[in-house]
Amino acid sequence: MASMRLVVRNLRHYISIAITLFKSLFWCISDNFDYPILIKLADSFLSLYFIVFCDLRPITVDLDDGETTVHFWVSGHRKINRPNLVMLHGYGGNSKWQFVHQVSDLSKSFNLFIPDLVFFGRSHSRNADRTVEFQARSVVGGLKRLGCGGELAVYSISYGGFVAYRIAKIWPEMIGKLVIVSSGVGFTQQQKMTEVKKHGGDVSEILVPRNPRDLRMLVRVSMNTGIAYIDWVPDFILSQFIAVMYERNRQALVELAKNLLEREEEPEFFAISQKTLIVWGDKDKVFPLEHGRRLHRNLPNSSLEILKEIGHGVNIEAPTTLNNLITSFVLGVSLT
């Protein structure tokens, strides 16, 4: 009987994979090829990678506000002896593209909950709110709908760090341990404007590129190593990436970025009580290392790890090192 149940479960698993592949291929060849087919195919194969090799499942939940839908990737076979880890991405695509180098390793140690933040990927809303608090409410609402109880560990990078920090402040009972990577949490208005002026353009042109030139600039600003490849990628492929990742919700993404930039932070830096690991590349051009050190000084229950010769995109430039730091910190064990 047990063997029959195993056969049925595996059969269902492979049927779901086949259906996902068929739907993805159909999606890509529709509309008479007037379509960013290469990036759509790549995005579909990323979905298959998440399902087959990382045991993750796509789940979409509608929130109680009646306006917001949040898409998650969630571990398919959660184990009670593994901690729950929430992963919050930044700008630059959806959760699949940002965490593709990390999910395989982290899925071996944690039950993963990976949302697309609202207006990224397949998460969307009719709500006009563009604040970080709205993103935090949406993530918390989605987690609650998925039955997440008790303390969670949260790993966040860049824009996701702002969201995670708000969750830790407003719902402190939900987060036991927090990892913040390359995020400008606690920036003053003047500091924000100073960093933006360094790159000589509107924040929307940097974070929400309109053309291949803008996307190349975003990659160069975000990374310190391995950026030569971006000059060899044809413009039409970069244009397809922009069409898939940015065009559908471009206005909302621009508004999110401007809200983050123009909003006055609280007069005093608000400290959180959760045990926090801060990870920073010493060549970060988006949020320079001094801001990581400042964050560390203001959080008494924090530690700071500095990665040499690494830029803002730690998840892309040093995923193995970052995975080891996250695992060691959350599990409380040494991996060396």
Side-chain angles (χ1 to χ4, degrees):
M1 182 65 71
S3 61
M4 180 59 69
R5 285 198 297 267
L6 179 61
V7 169
V8 171
R9 189 180 71 181
N10 287 336
L11 182 61
R12 288 176 176 172
H13 175 64
Y14 290 115
I15 288 175
S16 70
I17 292 173
I19 291 173
T20 300
L21 179 58
F22 176 79
K23 288 169 63 179
S24 300
L25 291 174
F26 179 80
W27 191 22
C28 289
I29 63 176
S30 61
D31 295 332
N32 298 319
F33 291 96
D34 183 17
Y35 207 71
I37 188 168
L38 293 178
I39 301 302
K40 285 291 187 182
L41 278 172
D43 195 65
S44 298
F45 279 109
L46 280 182
S47 294
L48 288 174
Y49 172 73
F50 272 43
I51 294 170
V52 177
F53 294 99
C54 307
D55 189 31
L56 295 169
R57 299 292 180 269
I59 298 178
T60 300
V61 295
D62 295 325
L63 303 189
D64 293 337
D65 65 2
E67 297 182 307
T68 305
T69 297
V70 182
H71 178 270
F72 283 83
W73 285 96
V74 178
S75 291
H77 300 89
R78 287 174 244 172
K79 297 185 178 179
I80 195 169
N81 61 335
R82 290 181 179 176
N84 294 330
L85 178 67
V86 180
M87 301 171 63
L88 300 181
H89 64 83
Y91 270 79
N94 55 38
S95 57
K96 286 185 296 186
W97 288 80
Q98 291 214 1
F99 293 136
V100 62
H101 299 296
Q102 297 186 267
V103 289
S104 179
D105 282 347
L106 293 177
S107 66
K108 297 171 185 175
S109 300
F110 304 102
N111 300 317
L112 299 182
F113 295 83
I114 313 174
D116 286 331
L117 296 176
V118 182
F119 303 116
F120 297 84
R122 296 187 181 181
S123 296
H124 56 87
S125 179
R126 295 191 300 270
N127 196 312
D129 193 342
R130 300 293 182 262
T131 63
V132 173
E133 286 83 353
F134 170 68
Q135 293 283 8
R137 286 198 310 272
S138 299
V139 171
V140 169
L143 290 171
K144 289 182 177 179
R145 291 295 297 270
L146 292 172
C148 286
E151 290 187 345
L152 302 165
V154 177
Y155 149 51
S156 58
I157 185 165
S158 194
Y159 179 67
F162 290 91
V163 179
Y165 206 85
R166 290 289 168 176
I167 296 174
K169 178 176 181 284
I170 301 172
W171 296 274
E173 72 283 357
M174 289 195 67
I175 298 182
K177 290 185 177 180
L178 176 61
V179 180
I180 296 177
V181 181
S182 307
S183 182
V185 173
F187 261 39
T188 65
Q189 188 73 5
Q190 182 177 359
Q191 288 169 329
K192 292 176 187 177
M193 297 306 298
T194 298
E195 296 305 326
V196 168
K197 287 178 181 178
K198 286 181 181 179
H199 305 297
D202 187 285
V203 66
S204 65
E205 296 175 358
I206 298 172
L207 294 177
V208 192
R210 290 185 176 277
N211 53 55
R213 182 197 62 188
D214 294 342
L215 184 53
R216 288 190 173 94
M217 183 178 72
L218 177 62
V219 172
R220 292 191 184 98
V221 169
S222 300
M223 298 176 64
N224 185 58
T225 59
I227 59 175
Y229 78 90
I230 196 65
D231 292 325
W232 296 92
V233 179
D235 281 359
F236 80 92
I237 292 181
L238 297 182
S239 295
Q240 288 192 10
F241 184 86
I242 292 169
V244 172
M245 297 299 161
Y246 300 105
E247 290 306 333
R248 180 183 177 187
N249 294 314
R250 173 173 295 280
Q251 186 58 39
L253 293 173
V254 170
E255 291 169 1
L256 287 173
K258 288 187 174 180
N259 180 277
L260 185 67
L261 177 67
E262 297 169 0
R263 173 184 176 137
E264 283 285 354
E265 292 294 335
E266 299 181 22
E268 294 183 3
F269 192 94
F270 53 86
I272 56 175
S273 59
Q274 289 88 347
K275 189 173 183 181
T276 303
L277 171 65
I278 302 166
V279 182
W280 227 273
D282 69 340
K283 303 299 183 183
D284 194 329
K285 300 173 187 173
V286 179
F287 300 124
L289 177 58
E290 176 51 37
H291 296 292
R293 291 196 171 107
R294 176 175 175 265
L295 182 61
H296 176 44
R297 289 194 300 268
N298 281 277
L299 297 183
N301 202 17
S302 69
S303 57
L304 173 64
E305 291 284 346
I306 301 172
L307 305 186
K308 299 295 184 181
E309 300 302 318
I310 299 299
H312 182 69
V314 180
N315 55 321
I316 304 298
E317 294 186 73
T320 300
T321 300
L322 181 54
N323 286 347
N324 289 339
L325 288 171
I326 293 168
T327 303
S328 176
F329 170 71
V330 175
L331 298 183
V333 297
S334 175
L335 300 181
T336 59

